[in-house]
Amino acid sequence: MQLGMIGLGRMGGNMTTRLLQGGHQLVAFDPNPEAVKTAAASGARPATSIEDLVGQLQAPRAVWVMVPSGDATEKTVQTLAGLLAKGDTIIDGGNSNYKDTVRRGAELEAKGLHYVDVGTSGGIWGLKEGYSLMVGGEKAAVEHLRPLFETLAPAADRGWGRVGPSGAGHFTKMVHNGIEYGMMQSYAEGFAIMKKKEAFHLNLHQISQIWQHGSVVRSWLLDLTVDALAHDQDLKDIAPYVSDSGEGRWTVAEAIELDVAAPVITLSLITRLRSRDSESYADRLLAAMRNQFGGHAIKKQ
């Protein structure tokens, strides 16, 4: 199947490689010329611009957009909308807010274009293991793209599926990432408790390996934890600063909007935000209040 790919970052580049290995024909573009050269070396036809990419594709065209969510995706989709023709398809494989996806889907439908949103999970391991693909969009448009999804997924019959209309794919991926926040936080807290129990001299790497087999808490995240602890159990070279890419925030906001209690996901997000405050005014004020009402000692810097 022929496909245009815009965005050749780490995940986009790996997806391009997997698609080429699956026998698909790709035209690739990225603002970074070196990324385009790398894709071309793997067998993709290089494009010098979005206009050039569209010009190289045969109708009905399909273009996969793998760029950062927000303005980058908005500008890319709008540019494509002005170049593509009725019956063509734009695929958004990034982590767009599902509300933006629903809006874009309606706008493109009015122009006769298909808009398919693909919540994509798998990270840097997707090239080897395959990607989990949560697909939203019109049934016929998704079915037309089936060969692509079957190639990218762990297997043709598992790890992917159409989950609903336009926006449903990104919505599902948003919730997926919220769950991921909670799972990661739980692992982190559990291992922190064990590390603090110095009297037992626990080998955290050994324990994580034991849990990999037969334990009810075994998971791919645990496997990654095993790898991390194998190098340095104290994690001395890693700053206690945890970023977030937005999906956890959106999940919490959606839970509030829907009146759904999601305390674990919410607290895991707040904990990430807390990790970035090396000069916490709130903690200073807490210490001051304890001193005021109870005469508790204040630790000076």
Side-chain angles (χ1 to χ4, degrees):
M1 185 172 185
Q2 188 184 50
L3 176 72
M5 176 69 77
I6 299 177
L8 304 172
R10 185 161 55 184
M11 183 174 284
N14 285 345
M15 293 175 72
T16 297
T17 300
R18 190 172 175 91
L19 288 167
L20 288 168
Q21 292 174 346
H24 300 281
Q25 299 177 0
L26 264 69
V27 180
F29 171 71
D30 191 277
N32 179 4
E34 293 303 315
V36 178
K37 289 181 181 178
T38 299
S42 298
R45 293 210 312 270
T48 57
S49 65
I50 295 179
E51 290 79 3
D52 182 30
L53 178 142
V54 171
Q56 292 190 50
L57 295 173
Q58 297 177 349
R61 306 170 186 84
V63 182
W64 193 303
V65 178
M66 204 68 186
V67 301
S69 62
D71 289 342
T73 296
E74 186 70 26
K75 291 177 181 177
T76 302
V77 170
Q78 292 303 323
T79 298
L80 285 170
L83 298 170
L84 296 174
K86 185 176 180 179
D88 291 344
T89 302
I90 299 175
I91 309 162
D92 181 1
N95 284 323
S96 292
N97 188 301
Y98 84 93
K99 294 180 180 179
D100 290 331
T101 302
V102 172
R103 170 181 55 80
R104 292 179 189 130
E107 293 172 352
L108 294 173
E109 183 180 14
K111 298 181 179 181
L113 299 173
H114 303 295
Y115 193 53
V116 175
D117 52 297
V118 183
T120 307
S121 181
I124 60 175
W125 294 91
L127 176 59
K128 177 183 177 182
E129 304 291 341
Y131 296 92
S132 174
L133 306 172
M134 296 144 266
V135 186
E138 182 188 351
K139 289 183 179 180
V142 173
E143 187 61 28
H144 176 70
L145 299 169
R146 172 181 286 272
L148 301 177
F149 303 139
E150 291 181 341
T151 299
L152 289 170
D157 60 348
R158 65 177 184 269
W160 80 276
R162 177 184 178 272
V163 297
S166 181
H170 283 152
F171 179 84
T172 305
K173 178 57 162 50
M174 175 192 76
V175 177
H176 163 285
N177 282 22
I179 293 171
E180 178 185 294
Y181 278 39
M183 292 176 66
M184 292 173 67
Q185 185 64 33
S186 183
Y187 277 126
E189 292 176 7
F191 279 92
I193 292 169
M194 291 188 290
K195 181 171 176 53
K196 197 70 172 180
K197 192 64 175 179
E198 297 177 353
F200 285 164
H201 305 288
L202 298 175
N203 185 324
L204 301 186
H205 180 239
Q206 177 203 26
I207 293 168
S208 64
Q209 288 180 308
I210 291 172
W211 288 357
Q212 281 183 294
H213 306 283
S215 166
V216 296
V217 299
R218 63 187 184 275
S219 72
W220 185 52
L221 284 174
L222 178 62
D223 295 340
L224 299 179
T225 301
V226 170
D227 293 339
L229 294 175
H231 301 295
D232 176 17
Q233 291 194 50
D234 293 327
L235 307 177
K236 294 178 181 178
D237 295 330
I238 300 178
Y241 182 104
V242 187
S243 299
D244 76 281
S245 53
E247 295 89 344
R249 299 176 186 227
W250 300 341
T251 305
V252 171
E254 193 69 25
I256 294 171
E257 187 172 325
L258 295 172
D259 290 331
V260 175
V264 173
I265 295 175
T266 302
L267 186 55
S268 66
L269 170 64
I270 299 302
T271 302
R272 289 195 181 198
L273 301 180
R274 177 67 182 82
S275 76
R276 303 169 205 172
D277 191 357
S278 60
E279 295 293 333
S280 174
Y281 179 81
D283 288 347
R284 294 171 189 268
L285 186 56
L286 283 171
M289 285 189 284
R290 290 184 76 248
N291 175 257
Q292 289 293 322
F293 70 70
H296 301 288
I298 295 177
K299 183 177 180 179
K300 301 291 186 179
Q301 290 200 82

